[in-house]
Amino acid sequence: MKINQAAELAGITSKNIRFYEDRGLISPARDSGNGYREYTMEDVETLCRIRLLRMLGISCENIRRLQSGELDFDSCMDEHIAELDKTSENIGHMKVMCRVLRDEADSLSEINASVYLEKMKELEKGGARFVNARMTDTGKRKTGAIISAAAVITGLLLIILVMLWVNASDPAPRGVIAFFIVMFAVIAAAVIYVLKQRLDEVEKGEIDEASKY
């Protein structure tokens, strides 16, 4: 089967699959005739296992080590459970800080951020970890993709309008005008298609920072 079929069966995107291939987590056979990748149901099952482990927060590197036998499965799970316990502890710290802010301030403008950031810094010295404020969230990724696509489509529409306005005073052959309009329409459709793919990738794709691998 082709990559799109494998992606659909595994519940991920084609870009996910290429991402996992780049990291050596899956190596599908290639058609001897055309060189295209040919995926089997075994490959799909491998992708499903990868997806399961990634959804649990297991790093790509540890999945690779599991596949190669470098890492024992029980040890991997025990280590990850310990990491999750630490994460739960950190969430507890954040809950405490949120309660403190709620009890000590009635509005955002009343918060002396420097004081609380200093408290959080002290907690981090003790092992606590808070969310990285520089991380880009899913909503921002989607908004950025939509804005970019809208800008391209708006630009295409403006070009068509200018072309029609110029044509009104200096008519060109209808075939030429029709060709350019169809060409711009195809480009706009392609942009919309790519936008849909990007939104799907953001929703289901790998959004982890490189430091997590």
Side-chain angles (χ1 to χ4, degrees):
M1 70 184 76
K2 301 305 179 186
I3 190 169
N4 290 338
Q5 294 171 291
E8 184 175 354
L9 289 173
I12 54 180
T13 67
S14 298
K15 195 167 185 177
N16 284 140
I17 295 178
R18 294 189 183 95
F19 176 87
Y20 296 139
E21 287 179 19
D22 289 342
R23 277 154 181 75
L25 303 185
I26 183 170
S27 300
R30 289 183 179 270
D31 188 299
S32 58
N34 54 32
Y36 291 152
R37 295 173 178 82
E38 287 290 340
Y39 297 85
T40 65
M41 287 306 300
E42 184 177 350
D43 291 324
V44 171
E45 186 59 35
T46 296
L47 289 168
C48 287
R49 292 192 185 103
I50 294 171
R51 181 188 177 198
L52 168 64
L53 294 178
R54 292 298 293 127
M55 290 180 71
L56 292 174
I58 307 295
S59 69
C60 288
E61 175 59 21
N62 277 349
I63 294 174
R64 185 196 63 75
R65 293 174 64 205
L66 283 170
Q67 291 176 333
S68 66
E70 297 175 38
L71 180 62
D72 177 72
F73 186 74
D74 286 348
S75 297
C76 178
M77 292 299 105
D78 287 341
E79 288 174 9
H80 194 57
I81 289 170
E83 290 177 5
L84 293 174
D85 285 339
K86 186 63 178 177
T87 299
S88 295
E89 182 181 341
N90 291 333
I91 290 174
H93 288 302
M94 286 187 276
K95 285 182 177 179
V96 169
M97 185 58 66
C98 287
R99 292 191 183 102
V100 169
L101 289 171
R102 179 196 62 192
D103 295 340
E104 295 184 359
D106 293 324
S107 66
L108 180 62
S109 60
E110 293 182 10
I111 296 175
N112 186 340
S114 298
V115 172
Y116 296 103
L117 287 171
E118 191 61 33
K119 290 181 180 179
M120 293 167 74
K121 185 176 180 180
E122 290 301 315
L123 287 171
E124 286 182 328
K125 288 180 180 179
R129 289 292 178 269
F130 296 94
V131 174
N132 183 354
R134 294 172 295 179
M135 188 180 297
T136 303
D137 62 24
T138 300
K140 288 182 180 179
R141 289 169 183 255
K142 287 183 176 181
T143 300
I146 292 171
I147 291 174
S148 298
V152 172
I153 292 174
T154 300
L156 291 173
L157 289 174
L158 288 174
I159 291 173
I160 291 174
L161 290 174
V162 170
M163 185 177 65
L164 292 175
W165 177 73
V166 171
N167 186 68
S169 59
D170 185 14
R174 291 186 177 180
V176 174
I177 297 299
F179 170 79
F180 281 107
I181 290 177
V182 170
M183 182 181 69
F184 289 139
V186 169
I187 294 173
V191 170
I192 293 172
Y193 175 75
V194 171
L195 172 63
K196 183 180 182 302
Q197 281 194 319
R198 177 57 180 160
L199 294 179
D200 288 341
E201 289 166 4
V202 170
E203 192 66 33
K204 298 191 294 184
E206 292 285 337
I207 60 173
D208 305 74
E209 293 180 310
S211 60
K212 294 185 179 181
Y213 296 114

